[in-house]
Amino acid sequence: MLNKEIVAKINKQINFELYSAYVYLDISNYYADQNLNGFANWFKIQTQEERDHAMLFMDYLLQNGEKIVLSDIKAPSFAFTDFRQPAMEAYEHEIKVTASIHDIYGAAYEIKDFRTMQFLDWFVKEQSEEEKNTDEIIKRYDLFGNDAKGLYLLDSELAARVYTPPTLVI
Ligand SMILES: [Fe+2]
């Protein structure tokens, strides 16, 4: 059994992870529409990762005999006007996800819920990767993206990303 407040926060996080999957799907669709298929690929894989994160949170609740409560997933409402903006939105989104995970961690810490803290450790580490990866895309875009050849090479590089499932075992 877990603390009620922790369960509520994790249920909220499940929705947030699924919303994150939606955010990245929207970004992927934008890039695909712009014929930047490498960028589209990278963000489509990001969608798969976010769905996996939601699954992990769900597994954690199930593992502890707690009820999963699914709620409506908000549709993203971006209006992208240039190639850089979606990557920037992704980075800013990851900052929010980090804050949300830290919030659950903080609540678990308060009540000495060591089990949840240990479970969340993987996510804390994962978030530093997520922030770094999206920040890197922006920085590389700023370096090479303004030149057609550079943009082509960057797109080709992002096309090489393949999906790897998360390493966390519940
Ligand atoms: Fe996530």
Side-chain angles (χ1 to χ4, degrees), residues 48-87:
Q48 287 175 282
E49 279 201 358
E50 297 308 336
R51 182 207 53 196
D52 285 342
H53 294 166
M55 296 298 178
L56 290 169
F57 279 106
M58 285 192 253
D59 285 346
Y60 182 69
L61 288 186
L62 284 178
Q63 178 74 23
N64 287 283
E66 297 292 351
K67 204 166 177 288
I68 298 161
V69 182
L70 295 178
S71 44
D72 291 354
I73 304 162
K74 200 174 77 174
S77 55
F78 300 117
F80 301 125
T81 50
D82 60 61
F83 300 151
R84 189 184 192 273
Q85 195 196 344

Side-chain angles (χ1 to χ4, degrees), residues 6-24 47 50-58 61 67-76 93 97 100-101 104:
I6 298 291
V7 174
K9 281 181 186 291
I10 292 177
N11 268 313
K12 215 175 124 201
Q13 189 65 30
I14 290 167
N15 185 271
F16 200 32
E17 298 290 348
L18 292 172
Y19 173 66
S20 303
Y22 243 38
V23 164
Y24 293 132
T47 293
E50 297 308 336
R51 182 207 53 196
D52 285 342
H53 294 166
M55 296 298 178
L56 290 169
F57 279 106
M58 285 192 253
L61 288 186
K67 204 166 177 288
I68 298 161
V69 182
L70 295 178
S71 44
D72 291 354
I73 304 162
K74 200 174 77 174
H93 184 76
V97 175
S100 179
I101 283 167
I104 311 171

Side-chain angles (χ1 to χ4, degrees), residues 99-114:
S100 179
I101 283 167
H102 287 185
D103 175 64
I104 311 171
Y105 206 111
Y109 179 83
E110 284 289 314
I111 59 163
K112 293 190 163 61
D113 178 354
F114 301 115

Side-chain angles (χ1 to χ4, degrees), residues 128-151:
S128 81
E129 271 294 303
E130 301 282 49
E131 286 177 27
K132 180 183 156 277
N133 290 341
T134 44
D135 185 49
E136 210 170 79
I137 291 180
I138 300 162
K139 285 182 176 152
R140 290 175 74 77
Y141 177 80
D142 287 346
L143 279 172
F144 316 119
N146 293 320
D147 164 81
K149 277 183 192 160
L151 182 62

